[in-house]
Amino acid sequence: MSLEDRWKRYRWRLIRGEPVDPPVNVAIDEVLTRRVGSGERPPTLRFWGRHKDEVVIGRFQSVSNEVNEEEARREGVEIIRRTTGGGAMFVEPGNIITFSIYAPLELVAGMSTVDSYAFLDEWVVEAFRSLGIEAYYEPINDISSKNGKIGGAAQGRAHGAVLHHDTLSYEIDTARMLRILRIGQEKLSDKAIQSAEKRVGPLRRQTSLPREEIIEHMIETFAGRNTADGLTEDTLTPEELAEAERLTRELYGTRDWIYSIP
């Protein structure tokens, strides 16, 4: 069986996420990973819905090292911690596209971590290239272009499933990002902003398409490339949402989780 055919073994579901509070998205990731791993839910592609500005730090990072908390509070930016590794990300809902893939471990069986990142993001690169964006995969977990980095991925394997999610930049307020993230704090100047601008390649600067049209094109590419009979539209069940809300109250929305020291 070819690698492309691995995708087509499954009947994929699509969730267009409704906006939820920042830590709820992290909890949903756990819930759906568990349910796909146990066979209670088919493999699923979910786009995150957001309505608040946030900073998402990686599982093994420290808030104090990554975030200017005083500035974040002043600007109403919530801080959350995800379950996967990687770096801190500054998120403004209209300027970011985040999706998660939940699949059985068999989808990436026999692959190294590096190979699995490339495999799970091939369709994203294809979607962008078909829009005229010169995108490419950059090991270990970035999607880049000749105009700069577009986004990055993180991954976890647990409960009999693989969770793979990407956060992609549609547009970015670089000056605001540099005020809130500690990177570049000592040299927050026009030169620092210009330097950061050169390293990123948000989608809006590479195509005239609205964010929503890019998401639709990504969905169409996934369905045409990775499925045998298309994506079935779906939503979270009441039970899944209730479980995510419970996990948020008990874990992902708590100070103990957010400020834990790995």
Side-chain angles (χ1 to χ4, degrees):
M1 178 182 295
S2 70
L3 290 180
E4 285 193 8
D5 286 342
R6 287 193 184 194
W7 293 96
K8 296 178 181 178
R9 293 169 59 186
Y10 309 106
R11 292 190 172 183
W12 287 87
R13 299 288 180 88
L14 169 67
I15 294 178
R16 303 170 186 267
E18 294 295 324
V20 295
D21 286 340
V24 178
N25 271 314
V26 179
I28 292 171
D29 265 358
E30 177 176 335
V31 171
L32 297 191
T33 300
R34 286 180 178 274
R35 297 211 170 201
V36 169
S38 67
E40 297 174 77
R41 160 177 281 280
T44 299
L45 169 66
R46 176 176 76 98
F47 284 83
W48 292 28
R50 292 181 165 106
H51 61 83
K52 291 182 180 179
D53 295 345
E54 61 194 71
V55 170
V56 187
I57 66 170
R59 176 67 186 93
F60 306 107
Q61 293 186 305
S62 162
V63 171
S64 61
N65 288 343
E66 304 299 329
V67 187
N68 182 333
E69 294 183 74
E70 182 179 348
E71 191 66 31
R73 282 193 295 270
R74 182 182 299 117
E75 298 205 22
V77 177
E78 188 165 344
I79 302 167
I80 64 172
R81 179 187 298 276
R82 62 181 179 271
T83 60
T84 54
M89 299 177 298
F90 171 59
V91 173
E92 295 171 307
N95 285 342
I96 287 289
I97 298 169
T98 298
F99 69 83
S100 292
I101 292 171
Y102 315 93
L105 286 173
E106 289 78 10
L107 181 63
V108 292
M111 296 184 193
S112 68
T113 300
V114 174
D115 288 344
S116 71
Y117 273 100
F119 172 70
L120 292 170
D121 278 342
E122 282 176 351
W123 66 278
V124 184
V125 172
E126 181 178 311
F128 293 161
R129 285 180 177 171
S130 66
L131 292 174
I133 298 168
E134 295 184 31
Y136 58 89
Y137 167 73
E138 187 171 12
I140 179 176
N141 61 339
D142 287 342
I143 294 177
S144 294
S145 72
K146 70 171 188 176
N147 294 314
K149 178 178 173 178
I150 298 171
Q155 191 180 116
R157 301 186 188 191
H159 318 299
V162 57
L163 160 66
H164 181 91
H165 47 203
D166 283 37
T167 294
L168 308 162
S169 177
Y170 176 70
E171 185 54 282
I172 189 168
D173 184 336
T174 307
R176 190 171 183 228
M177 177 188 73
L178 291 175
R179 288 197 304 272
I180 291 169
L181 297 184
R182 289 209 175 275
I183 179 172
Q185 286 296 309
E186 53 291 321
K187 293 184 179 179
L188 186 53
S189 62
D190 288 345
K191 186 175 181 181
I193 293 170
Q194 291 170 4
S195 177
E197 291 271 5
K198 290 178 181 178
R199 293 195 298 271
V200 297
L203 295 165
R204 186 176 184 180
R205 303 178 195 176
Q206 303 194 58
T207 174
S208 60
L209 291 175
R211 174 179 174 275
E212 293 72 20
E213 287 190 30
I214 293 174
I215 292 173
E216 287 304 314
H217 185 72
M218 291 174 67
I219 291 169
E220 290 170 6
T221 301
F222 187 100
R225 183 184 190 278
N226 295 343
T227 73
D229 52 6
L231 277 163
T232 299
E233 297 271 354
D234 200 2
T235 60
L236 292 173
T237 67
E239 294 77 16
E240 289 168 342
L241 183 56
E243 186 177 353
E245 290 172 343
R246 178 185 61 78
L247 283 171
T248 300
R249 292 191 303 271
E250 296 177 359
L251 181 61
Y252 296 119
T254 68
R255 185 176 181 85
D256 285 349
W257 169 259
I258 296 165
Y259 286 85
S260 61
I261 305 297

